[in-house]
Amino acid sequence: NSLTVAATLEAAKQAVVKMGATQLKKGRAMIIGATGSIGAVCSRLLAQAIHDVVLVSIEPEKLIDLKRTIEEETPGTNVTIALRPGDLAANCDLVVTATSAFGQRILDISTCKPGAVICDVARPPDIGEKEAALRPDVSVIESGEVLIPGEIDIGYDIGLPKGTAYACLAETALLAMEGRFESYTLGRTIDMDRVKEIYRLFKKHDFQIAGLRSFGKLLTEEDFAEKRRIAAELMADPERLGRTR
């Protein structure tokens, strides 16, 4: 799960840049499923990066504990907590969904900010393709799949292009390349230092984030340009945004 977190945040960073963000230390991020193993570490790392996070979870006690942890680790961070996203997504530039909702609706995409990025880590996904089509200005991307360098033969079809692996599988390959034959991150507890370490190894061995994908389709520069165009129109026309929602 360490590389899953690192790859998710790297993919999210690339997506918000493609959507026009110029100052990555400003903005607001929402994490849905914030008290889960992946969600909690994403929340803490995003708080260090942008200092304004919305934590959403159905576990209120854990939410309060996570809020306290973030405020202690990163003083000055604005931390909002909620049991449901509600209308809070309207001011969020990035939404990370990392739930175990299994088909339940966890976010009303119509409430999202124009030009927002949704990084869907959940499996099965939290956001369906038909729902995403309601807001063509919003980028719904899959969590970061990884390109492993060299001629790669995984040995069976995992449903991804040649040379591309899910981050959890790529982490195993990366550790083997380092001669690290150990239980690095299994279970619910993910150490932030290990996430940062695995990202350094990711860079050292020339692993890369695969192209950003949405529902199995590679998003092109033209796709992002069209999303930016529609987002700009919605931002400039509050009445149209209201009708769209």
Side-chain angles (χ1 to χ4, degrees):
N1 277 343
S2 288
L3 191 55
T4 298
V5 171
T8 293
L9 295 181
E10 178 63 22
K13 180 177 73 174
Q14 291 183 14
V16 296
V17 168
K18 289 180 181 293
M19 286 303 295
T22 56
Q23 298 186 56
L24 292 177
K25 293 185 178 181
K26 293 186 177 181
R28 195 178 211 199
M30 172 183 284
I31 304 89
I32 305 176
T35 55
S37 58
I38 291 174
V41 180
C42 283
S43 300
R44 293 164 64 192
L45 288 167
L46 282 168
Q48 289 183 355
I50 61 177
H51 303 284
D52 193 352
V53 292
V54 179
L55 313 179
V56 180
S57 172
I58 57 173
E59 301 176 297
E61 294 85 2
K62 289 184 178 181
L63 261 183
I64 293 168
D65 288 343
L66 180 58
K67 174 180 167 70
R68 288 172 178 160
T69 296
I70 290 173
E71 289 173 340
E72 290 172 3
E73 285 179 341
T74 314
T77 299
N78 179 36
V79 184
T80 303
I81 59 175
L83 299 179
R84 296 284 185 274
D87 294 329
L88 292 167
N91 295 312
C92 293
D93 305 282
L94 169 66
V95 179
V96 176
T97 70
T99 78
S100 302
F102 297 107
Q104 299 177 57
R105 193 183 197 198
I106 58 96
L107 173 68
D108 180 356
I109 197 171
S110 72
T111 65
C112 284
K113 181 178 181 178
V117 169
I118 300 175
C119 191
D120 194 345
V121 187
R123 292 294 176 270
D126 282 326
I127 307 295
E129 187 171 6
K130 289 183 178 179
E131 187 175 11
L134 298 172
R135 286 292 300 273
D137 60 300
V138 173
S139 296
V140 181
I141 64 169
E142 299 163 5
S143 59
E145 281 87 37
V146 173
L147 287 172
I148 301 177
E151 289 297 320
I152 302 303
D153 181 7
I154 292 174
Y156 53 92
D157 183 6
I158 61 172
L160 294 174
K162 182 176 175 61
T164 304
Y166 293 107
C168 52
L169 177 57
E171 178 175 310
T172 307
L174 193 55
L175 291 168
M177 291 168 75
E178 279 287 299
R180 299 277 294 272
F181 304 111
E182 62 189 84
S183 173
Y184 193 78
T185 36
L186 290 175
R188 289 185 56 83
T189 302
I190 305 175
D191 185 274
M192 280 213 305
D193 289 337
R194 290 214 148 186
V195 174
K196 294 175 181 179
E197 179 187 26
I198 204 75
Y199 185 65
R200 287 193 295 270
L201 297 179
F202 174 93
K203 291 289 192 180
K204 172 184 174 182
H205 290 284
D206 294 324
F207 281 47
Q208 296 179 33
I209 298 296
L212 299 174
R213 303 173 70 84
S214 182
F215 307 104
K217 174 182 175 290
L218 187 67
L219 290 172
T220 65
E221 294 297 334
E222 290 75 17
D223 292 327
F224 282 107
E226 178 65 7
K227 289 178 180 297
R228 292 195 302 269
R229 182 190 67 78
I230 300 171
E233 291 179 355
L234 291 174
M235 288 290 281
D237 189 346
E239 289 188 7
R240 179 181 169 185
L241 177 58
R243 291 195 303 271
T244 301
R245 284 174 169 164

